[in-house]
Amino acid sequence: GSIAIGHYAGSAITSGQKNIAIGYLAMQDLDDGDDNVMIGWNAALDAASSGFSKNTGVGSYVFMQVAAGIDAENNAAGGFGACGGVMTDVAHDNTALGYKTLNASTSAKDNVCVGSSAGLNITSGDGNIIVGKNALDVATTATKNVFIGEEAGGTLRAGIAYQGAVAIGYQAMYG
């Protein structure tokens, strides 16, 4: 069974098991995903697939725009808009904690982002550790990087695939 509390929360669950949806429209479209916990206004609103499983989200608009038929598993997001992008496929094993962390993620995986707007515009990439307010906030593609510190890697150009970079400290590798 599943538990749903809130206006239209979990209203489409038919065969999904062990889900908890708390909040206005939380997991409204999910029909058969399993083992999810979503707490917040519009949390996982568009998640509709059995591929959306074993995810935990706390905060308004977390996992807001999950595309139908995706494989997004084992993600944890906390904070307004964390992991709120249009997840399309293979977006799994991410940890996003803070306001709009990993907000544009579509197919990012195996990332750890902590801090307000950390990894804000990353759409794809894997194995990143991004810690700090606005750290690596403009880059769209990043793989196996470490950015630690407020604005570390901040304002680096979009459209460049950053790989294997290490930047530690306030505004390290800034712009």
Side-chain angles (χ1 to χ4, degrees):
S2 293
I3 298 170
I5 301 170
H7 185 70
Y8 288 109
S11 61
I13 295 174
T14 55
S15 60
Q17 298 288 324
K18 299 173 278 188
N19 293 296
I20 298 173
I22 299 174
Y24 179 80
L25 301 179
M27 288 196 298
Q28 175 190 353
D29 295 338
L30 186 73
D31 54 0
D32 60 353
D34 296 324
D35 300 298
N36 296 293
V37 176
M38 294 294 144
I39 300 172
W41 184 281
N42 288 343
L45 170 68
D46 294 332
S49 162
S50 62
F52 189 76
S53 295
K54 300 177 205 82
N55 297 294
T56 302
V58 177
S60 295
Y61 305 103
V62 294
F63 299 109
M64 169 86 172
Q65 301 179 65
V66 178
I70 55 86
D71 175 17
E73 297 182 340
N74 308 318
N75 295 292
F80 180 94
C83 286
V86 183
M87 288 184 162
T88 54
D89 200 17
V90 196
H92 54 76
D93 299 308
N94 293 298
T95 301
L97 195 58
Y99 173 81
K100 292 194 174 183
T101 52
L102 210 53
N103 182 257
S105 172
T106 57
S107 60
K109 62 182 181 171
D110 304 318
N111 295 291
V112 175
C113 295
V114 178
S116 180
S117 298
L120 175 69
N121 287 302
I122 292 176
T123 57
S124 60
D126 62 87
N128 296 294
I129 298 172
I130 304 167
V131 178
K133 179 181 179 185
N134 297 326
L136 202 60
D137 61 345
V138 176
T140 55
T141 305
T143 302
K144 295 178 180 38
N145 297 289
V146 176
F147 286 88
I148 299 175
E150 183 176 347
E151 297 181 354
T155 71
L156 286 176
R157 289 180 288 163
I160 296 174
Y162 294 94
Q163 184 171 357
V166 175
I168 299 174
Y170 173 72
Q171 291 189 340
M173 282 185 66
Y174 185 83

